[in-house]
Amino acid sequence: SQCYNGAAEPGAASEGVKATWGQVLTFQDAIIPANYFSTSCGWTAAAADVWSGTDSLTYLSAKEQYTEGSYGDLSREEEFHAFITDTDVEAYDQESRWFRWSAVITPEQIQSGLEAYLSTAASVKVLQDEYFTEEACQSIGTVEDLYVYTRAGSGLATSLLITGSEAAVKIEGPQVIRQVLAAARITLSDGEFIGTRSLLPSAFICFEKTKDTSGELVSVKICGGGYGHGTGLSQTGVRGMVEQGYSYEEILAHYYEGTTLTDER
């Protein structure tokens, strides 16, 4: 339904629809909205880390997608950096060009993206001494630095602190982060340069900064993985699981933990 565009229906898709006709996924006796996205970085994101007011959707929890190894506490910056820059992670999505990607953005581009967002936001959290105050802010001046301020257990960046010559603001929410950093020039894992998109591919990101001899920020390399909001079922991950012999029942139970597959025919 998302990307139909009038394409001819593949036979396997039609057969899959017919074979599962009448089957529904339920959670606490209600049919679920089965959220999905393109490609994971080796983890999916909990709904509560992506969308406000979704704490009750516990079936949309963060799920490991890698099949070998241990990567520690991905809420820690050093451990997430090691994970997201590892191109040899064994995972269901590993064959996708979006599994690992990088991007480069300048302070001027960050400033432009930030000011475009600030022009539509009623208020943001502005750092005053050691505390944040909620207030209107149209510009922070020249961008001097940026940091991941909070990171979920899955590694998802959930807020950024961007400091400027006039102010420092906290940008909250993966979607806003992807919007503000959308001007980054993206290179996929196979080396193809694809330029910019309307949103950064995902918020599973960390930063490698280049500064000049005076310590001023020159550019930021964004090390990232996956494509999409990251919550629910990974379409590329499903393909990987199918190729490893998982049944559709096992796949649904993996991505939508605690749900029940019911035949309502």
Side-chain angles (χ1 to χ4, degrees), residues 151-162:
R151 192 182 291 284
S154 62
L156 184 75
T158 53
S159 68
L160 301 183
L161 180 66
I162 304 179

Side-chain angles (χ1 to χ4, degrees), residues 7-55:
E9 295 179 7
S14 297
E15 290 303 313
V17 170
K18 293 175 183 176
T20 57
W21 185 262
Q23 295 185 21
V24 296
L25 272 180
T26 63
F27 180 73
Q28 297 178 347
D29 299 321
I31 295 175
I32 68 165
N35 299 91
Y36 64 93
F37 63 101
S38 170
T39 304
S40 89
C41 70
W43 269 89
T44 67
D49 292 327
V50 177
W51 302 303
S52 61
T54 58
D55 297 56

Side-chain angles (χ1 to χ4, degrees), residues 33-40 43-51 54 57 59-63 156 174 204 227-235 255-256:
N35 299 91
Y36 64 93
F37 63 101
S38 170
T39 304
S40 89
W43 269 89
T44 67
D49 292 327
V50 177
W51 302 303
T54 58
L57 304 183
Y59 64 87
L60 293 175
S61 58
K63 303 286 289 185
L156 184 75
F204 284 93
Y227 190 172
H229 52 68
T231 298
L233 176 148
S234 166
Q235 293 169 300
Y255 284 110
Y256 305 111

Side-chain angles (χ1 to χ4, degrees), residues 67-85:
T67 55
E68 292 183 10
S70 177
Y71 296 93
D73 181 1
L74 297 187
S75 68
R76 296 175 57 86
E77 201 64 25
E78 299 82 0
E79 294 180 53
F80 180 76
H81 181 273
F83 172 72
I84 205 66
T85 56

